[in-house]
Amino acid sequence: MTNTPDTQTLAQLRAFARAEITESRIYRRLAAREKNPDNRQVLEQIAAEEEKHYELIYKESGVTARPNKFKIFIYSLLARVLGLTFAIKLMENGEHGAVKNYAQFTQYPTICELAKEEDAHEQKLIALINEESLAYMGSVVLGLSDALVEFTGALAGFTFALRDPKLIALTGAITGIAAALSMASSEYLSSKSEDTGKHPVKAALYTGAAYVITVAALVSPFALMHNVLAALGVMLGAALVLIAAFSFYYSVARGENFRRRFVEMACLSFGVAGVSFFIGYLLKTLTGIEA
């Protein structure tokens, strides 16, 4: 122990020590569950780095800490449900503040050096992780974004043209399933003809599944509600939630700007919905057809 920390410094060091030992345990758990040997090796290496940082803090300051079991559980669950890359990058994004704070401990030169390691070495290791589901992210983007843009517009148009929520749900479901099969077929042919490294059948399944799930979420309000305008409002709200959720996932997994992606997708989807609603109104007025 080289220095006796004051109360505030002690609290900060204990928080950082707990973060390091917790993340070490998370990486160990993820490594134990990982089937890909290359990914497992990367995870074990990061776990060793985090543990080394914890031991360094203890050696320099005498501070110890217990791992956060709740955080270990949450990130292990996220990795299982939403993918390894998403969980790791979400956790590492939370470390950015810690990186800056490490540099403030000038009385502990060795701890100060952790700022450089946290910001560089571990990011390089994380970049080595190869996750199959992330490789097919483009196929998921294609299915989800196309369904959001096309279907918010289609259902908005059906709303004014048909006026019957059950009929809108039926029409939307039939149209959605047909569109999903069409999109999946297109992705299959595209992946087969181009050297993308993706398996054509898997790419088609990712695209089709993303499309069908989106369609089901958007059609459900019309199937469950009696007021057609209320169902339209709920559908648009569901579309916004889907856009926000996917934009967040994509921005974390791919390291892109969340706000830009969210605004872009929302403007496209709601812009098409507005135009389609107007077209439905115009066609109904001009043709005089009553559903």
Side-chain angles (χ1 to χ4, degrees), residues 94-226:
E95 279 195 344
H96 287 172
V99 170
K100 294 175 183 176
N101 286 328
Y102 274 139
Q104 296 175 7
F105 293 106
T106 53
Q107 70 271 43
Y108 300 107
T110 311
I111 292 178
C112 249
E113 287 297 311
L114 287 181
K116 296 177 183 178
E117 286 193 24
E118 291 282 355
D119 204 29
H121 186 58
E122 287 169 12
Q123 291 301 321
K124 289 179 182 178
L125 288 173
I126 289 168
L128 296 176
I129 292 174
N130 179 27
E131 188 174 17
E132 182 186 81
S133 60
L134 203 62
Y136 290 91
M137 180 62 71
S139 299
V140 175
V141 171
L142 179 65
L144 190 141
S145 59
D146 192 82
L148 280 169
V149 173
E150 181 179 334
F151 245 72
T152 49
L155 291 173
F158 292 158
T159 297
F160 205 91
L162 302 177
R163 306 294 293 181
D164 183 343
K166 297 296 184 286
L167 183 58
I168 293 168
L170 178 62
T171 306
I174 294 170
T175 306
I177 292 170
L181 293 173
S182 175
M183 287 296 298
S185 300
S186 298
E187 180 67 359
Y188 172 82
L189 294 173
S190 175
S191 299
K192 194 172 185 180
S193 61
E194 299 174 9
D195 186 19
T196 59
K198 296 188 292 187
H199 192 287
V201 174
K202 283 187 177 180
L205 288 174
Y206 273 102
T207 300
Y211 203 108
V212 168
I213 291 170
T214 306
V215 167
L218 298 181
V219 166
S220 295
F222 294 96
L224 300 174
M225 301 176 71
H226 298 292

